[in-house]
mmCIF file of all heavy atoms in Angstrom:
data_model
loop_
_atom_site.group_PDB
_atom_site.id
_atom_site.type_symbol
_atom_site.label_atom_id
_atom_site.label_comp_id
_atom_site.label_asym_id
_atom_site.label_seq_id
_atom_site.Cartn_x
_atom_site.Cartn_y
_atom_site.Cartn_z
ATOM 1 N N LEU M 1155 26.069 3.636 -0.993
ATOM 2 C CA LEU M 1155 26.369 4.567 0.099
ATOM 3 C C LEU M 1155 26.801 5.924 -0.447
ATOM 4 O O LEU M 1155 26.414 6.977 0.081
ATOM 5 C CB LEU M 1155 27.463 3.987 1.000
ATOM 6 C CG LEU M 1155 27.075 2.755 1.823
ATOM 7 C CD1 LEU M 1155 28.294 2.210 2.572
ATOM 8 C CD2 LEU M 1155 25.960 3.090 2.809
ATOM 9 N N ARG M 1156 27.601 5.912 -1.510
ATOM 10 C CA ARG M 1156 28.049 7.183 -2.092
ATOM 11 C C ARG M 1156 26.862 7.970 -2.644
ATOM 12 O O ARG M 1156 26.746 9.181 -2.412
ATOM 13 C CB ARG M 1156 29.072 6.916 -3.208
ATOM 14 C CG ARG M 1156 29.558 8.167 -3.898
ATOM 15 C CD ARG M 1156 30.688 7.872 -4.863
ATOM 16 N NE ARG M 1156 31.870 7.400 -4.152
ATOM 17 C CZ ARG M 1156 33.031 7.106 -4.755
ATOM 18 N NH1 ARG M 1156 33.135 7.243 -6.064
ATOM 19 N NH2 ARG M 1156 34.053 6.687 -4.058
ATOM 20 N N MET M 1157 25.981 7.302 -3.365
ATOM 21 C CA MET M 1157 24.808 7.976 -3.920
ATOM 22 C C MET M 1157 23.892 8.479 -2.814
ATOM 23 O O MET M 1157 23.334 9.576 -2.902
ATOM 24 C CB MET M 1157 24.053 7.022 -4.852
ATOM 25 C CG MET M 1157 24.803 6.688 -6.126
ATOM 26 S SD MET M 1157 24.023 5.344 -7.050
ATOM 27 C CE MET M 1157 22.457 6.106 -7.468
ATOM 28 N N THR M 1158 23.739 7.664 -1.752
ATOM 29 C CA THR M 1158 22.895 8.076 -0.634
ATOM 30 C C THR M 1158 23.441 9.339 0.020
ATOM 31 O O THR M 1158 22.702 10.279 0.322
ATOM 32 C CB THR M 1158 22.797 6.951 0.410
ATOM 33 O OG1 THR M 1158 22.290 5.776 -0.212
ATOM 34 C CG2 THR M 1158 21.876 7.349 1.556
ATOM 35 N N ALA M 1159 24.758 9.366 0.238
ATOM 36 C CA ALA M 1159 25.382 10.538 0.853
ATOM 37 C C ALA M 1159 25.175 11.780 -0.008
ATOM 38 O O ALA M 1159 24.865 12.865 0.502
ATOM 39 C CB ALA M 1159 26.869 10.281 1.071
ATOM 40 N N ASP M 1160 25.323 11.630 -1.339
ATOM 41 C CA ASP M 1160 25.130 12.771 -2.241
ATOM 42 C C ASP M 1160 23.699 13.290 -2.159
ATOM 43 O O ASP M 1160 23.460 14.504 -2.119
ATOM 44 C CB ASP M 1160 25.457 12.368 -3.685
ATOM 45 C CG ASP M 1160 26.951 12.139 -3.907
ATOM 46 O OD1 ASP M 1160 27.746 12.575 -3.045
ATOM 47 O OD2 ASP M 1160 27.313 11.522 -4.935
ATOM 48 N N LEU M 1161 22.738 12.368 -2.142
ATOM 49 C CA LEU M 1161 21.338 12.784 -2.067
ATOM 50 C C LEU M 1161 21.027 13.452 -0.733
ATOM 51 O O LEU M 1161 20.309 14.457 -0.675
ATOM 52 C CB LEU M 1161 20.422 11.568 -2.257
ATOM 53 C CG LEU M 1161 20.270 11.055 -3.690
ATOM 54 C CD1 LEU M 1161 19.473 9.759 -3.707
ATOM 55 C CD2 LEU M 1161 19.593 12.094 -4.568
ATOM 56 N N MET M 1162 21.586 12.905 0.346
ATOM 57 C CA MET M 1162 21.328 13.485 1.660
ATOM 58 C C MET M 1162 21.958 14.873 1.787
ATOM 59 O O MET M 1162 21.441 15.741 2.491
ATOM 60 C CB MET M 1162 21.816 12.547 2.755
ATOM 61 C CG MET M 1162 20.993 11.260 2.844
ATOM 62 S SD MET M 1162 21.553 10.112 4.102
ATOM 63 C CE MET M 1162 20.948 10.901 5.588
ATOM 64 N N ASP M 1163 23.086 15.093 1.085
ATOM 65 C CA ASP M 1163 23.675 16.435 1.048
ATOM 66 C C ASP M 1163 22.717 17.426 0.422
ATOM 67 O O ASP M 1163 22.557 18.558 0.894
ATOM 68 C CB ASP M 1163 24.985 16.417 0.241
ATOM 69 C CG ASP M 1163 26.149 15.808 1.017
ATOM 70 O OD1 ASP M 1163 26.037 15.699 2.259
ATOM 71 O OD2 ASP M 1163 27.159 15.448 0.383
ATOM 72 N N VAL M 1164 22.070 16.999 -0.667
ATOM 73 C CA VAL M 1164 21.103 17.870 -1.349
ATOM 74 C C VAL M 1164 19.946 18.217 -0.418
ATOM 75 O O VAL M 1164 19.513 19.375 -0.325
ATOM 76 C CB VAL M 1164 20.581 17.189 -2.641
ATOM 77 C CG1 VAL M 1164 19.444 18.001 -3.247
ATOM 78 C CG2 VAL M 1164 21.712 17.008 -3.638
ATOM 79 N N ILE M 1165 19.441 17.188 0.286
ATOM 80 C CA ILE M 1165 18.331 17.408 1.211
ATOM 81 C C ILE M 1165 18.759 18.332 2.343
ATOM 82 O O ILE M 1165 18.038 19.259 2.731
ATOM 83 C CB ILE M 1165 17.821 16.067 1.769
ATOM 84 C CG1 ILE M 1165 17.282 15.185 0.635
ATOM 85 C CG2 ILE M 1165 16.720 16.290 2.797
ATOM 86 C CD1 ILE M 1165 16.918 13.782 1.071
ATOM 87 N N ALA M 1166 19.950 18.091 2.883
ATOM 88 C CA ALA M 1166 20.445 18.926 3.990
ATOM 89 C C ALA M 1166 20.620 20.368 3.546
ATOM 90 O O ALA M 1166 20.321 21.307 4.301
ATOM 91 C CB ALA M 1166 21.770 18.361 4.502
#
Side-chain angles (χ1 to χ4, degrees):
L1155 292 175
R1156 178 173 295 182
M1157 292 170 64
T1158 303
D1160 289 344
L1161 284 173
M1162 292 179 76
D1163 284 343
V1164 172
I1165 298 173

